[in-house]
mmCIF file of all heavy atoms in Angstrom:
data_model
loop_
_atom_site.group_PDB
_atom_site.id
_atom_site.type_symbol
_atom_site.label_atom_id
_atom_site.label_comp_id
_atom_site.label_asym_id
_atom_site.label_seq_id
_atom_site.Cartn_x
_atom_site.Cartn_y
_atom_site.Cartn_z
ATOM 1 N N GLU A 99 97.094 106.627 110.907
ATOM 2 C CA GLU A 99 96.947 106.548 112.484
ATOM 3 C C GLU A 99 95.614 106.959 112.862
ATOM 4 O O GLU A 99 95.061 106.205 113.768
ATOM 5 C CB GLU A 99 97.992 107.432 113.091
ATOM 6 C CG GLU A 99 98.164 107.262 114.663
ATOM 7 C CD GLU A 99 99.264 106.152 115.000
ATOM 8 O OE1 GLU A 99 100.121 105.781 114.019
ATOM 9 O OE2 GLU A 99 99.246 105.803 116.174
ATOM 10 N N ALA A 100 94.998 107.971 112.448
ATOM 11 C CA ALA A 100 93.593 108.445 112.782
ATOM 12 C C ALA A 100 92.665 107.351 112.307
ATOM 13 O O ALA A 100 91.716 107.101 113.095
ATOM 14 C CB ALA A 100 93.401 109.717 112.187
ATOM 15 N N ALA A 101 92.853 106.869 111.099
ATOM 16 C CA ALA A 101 91.989 105.908 110.484
ATOM 17 C C ALA A 101 91.897 104.591 111.300
ATOM 18 O O ALA A 101 90.860 103.972 111.650
ATOM 19 C CB ALA A 101 92.360 105.492 109.037
ATOM 20 N N LEU A 102 93.068 104.190 111.854
ATOM 21 C CA LEU A 102 93.200 102.942 112.730
ATOM 22 C C LEU A 102 92.411 103.237 113.999
ATOM 23 O O LEU A 102 91.739 102.326 114.521
ATOM 24 C CB LEU A 102 94.635 102.549 112.759
ATOM 25 C CG LEU A 102 95.380 102.065 111.603
ATOM 26 C CD1 LEU A 102 96.930 101.959 111.851
ATOM 27 C CD2 LEU A 102 94.784 100.742 111.145
ATOM 28 N N LEU A 103 92.572 104.386 114.480
ATOM 29 C CA LEU A 103 91.928 104.739 115.795
ATOM 30 C C LEU A 103 90.460 104.720 115.679
ATOM 31 O O LEU A 103 89.615 104.126 116.571
ATOM 32 C CB LEU A 103 92.470 106.159 116.248
ATOM 33 C CG LEU A 103 91.827 106.687 117.635
ATOM 34 C CD1 LEU A 103 92.053 105.704 118.677
ATOM 35 C CD2 LEU A 103 92.266 108.001 117.947
ATOM 36 N N LEU A 104 89.937 105.389 114.569
ATOM 37 C CA LEU A 104 88.487 105.215 114.251
ATOM 38 C C LEU A 104 88.031 103.839 114.111
ATOM 39 O O LEU A 104 86.886 103.362 114.735
ATOM 40 C CB LEU A 104 88.190 106.033 112.988
ATOM 41 C CG LEU A 104 88.308 107.525 113.038
ATOM 42 C CD1 LEU A 104 88.176 108.153 111.607
ATOM 43 C CD2 LEU A 104 87.460 108.200 113.980
ATOM 44 N N ALA A 105 88.666 103.009 113.357
ATOM 45 C CA ALA A 105 88.303 101.650 113.079
ATOM 46 C C ALA A 105 88.128 100.803 114.468
ATOM 47 O O ALA A 105 87.223 100.075 114.789
ATOM 48 C CB ALA A 105 89.093 100.962 112.155
ATOM 49 N N MET A 106 89.309 101.036 115.219
ATOM 50 C CA MET A 106 89.390 100.209 116.448
ATOM 51 C C MET A 106 88.399 100.609 117.361
ATOM 52 O O MET A 106 87.786 99.761 118.059
ATOM 53 C CB MET A 106 90.793 100.333 117.106
ATOM 54 C CG MET A 106 91.908 99.614 116.197
ATOM 55 S SD MET A 106 93.480 99.472 117.037
ATOM 56 C CE MET A 106 93.967 101.182 117.084
ATOM 57 N N SER A 107 88.055 101.855 117.508
ATOM 58 C CA SER A 107 87.029 102.400 118.490
ATOM 59 C C SER A 107 85.613 101.992 118.043
ATOM 60 O O SER A 107 84.867 101.564 118.877
ATOM 61 C CB SER A 107 87.152 103.854 118.521
ATOM 62 O OG SER A 107 88.441 104.362 119.004
ATOM 63 N N HIS A 108 85.406 102.077 116.689
ATOM 64 C CA HIS A 108 84.035 101.673 116.209
ATOM 65 C C HIS A 108 83.821 100.251 116.312
ATOM 66 O O HIS A 108 82.646 99.893 116.787
ATOM 67 C CB HIS A 108 84.079 101.978 114.745
ATOM 68 C CG HIS A 108 82.655 101.784 114.044
ATOM 69 N ND1 HIS A 108 81.627 102.492 114.315
ATOM 70 C CD2 HIS A 108 82.201 100.789 113.244
ATOM 71 C CE1 HIS A 108 80.495 102.072 113.474
ATOM 72 N NE2 HIS A 108 81.010 100.984 112.870
ATOM 73 N N ARG A 109 84.825 99.425 116.194
ATOM 74 C CA ARG A 109 84.664 97.883 116.260
ATOM 75 C C ARG A 109 84.979 97.237 117.619
ATOM 76 O O ARG A 109 84.794 96.166 117.811
ATOM 77 C CB ARG A 109 85.450 97.175 115.183
ATOM 78 C CG ARG A 109 85.024 97.662 113.727
ATOM 79 C CD ARG A 109 83.854 96.823 113.450
ATOM 80 N NE ARG A 109 84.069 95.434 113.224
ATOM 81 C CZ ARG A 109 83.299 94.377 113.096
ATOM 82 N NH1 ARG A 109 81.862 94.608 113.135
ATOM 83 N NH2 ARG A 109 83.664 93.129 112.905
ATOM 84 N N ARG A 110 85.605 98.227 118.509
ATOM 85 C CA ARG A 110 86.093 97.668 119.914
ATOM 86 C C ARG A 110 86.930 96.521 119.743
ATOM 87 O O ARG A 110 86.921 95.438 120.415
ATOM 88 C CB ARG A 110 84.904 97.360 120.566
ATOM 89 C CG ARG A 110 83.947 98.522 121.125
ATOM 90 C CD ARG A 110 82.889 98.255 121.987
ATOM 91 N NE ARG A 110 82.112 99.503 122.323
ATOM 92 C CZ ARG A 110 82.446 100.416 123.048
ATOM 93 N NH1 ARG A 110 83.460 100.408 123.779
ATOM 94 N NH2 ARG A 110 81.573 101.435 123.274
#
Side-chain angles (χ1 to χ4, degrees):
E99 188 90 10
L102 292 168
L103 177 62
L104 290 173
M106 289 188 294
S107 297
H108 183 76
R109 295 281 290 167
R110 298 184 180 279

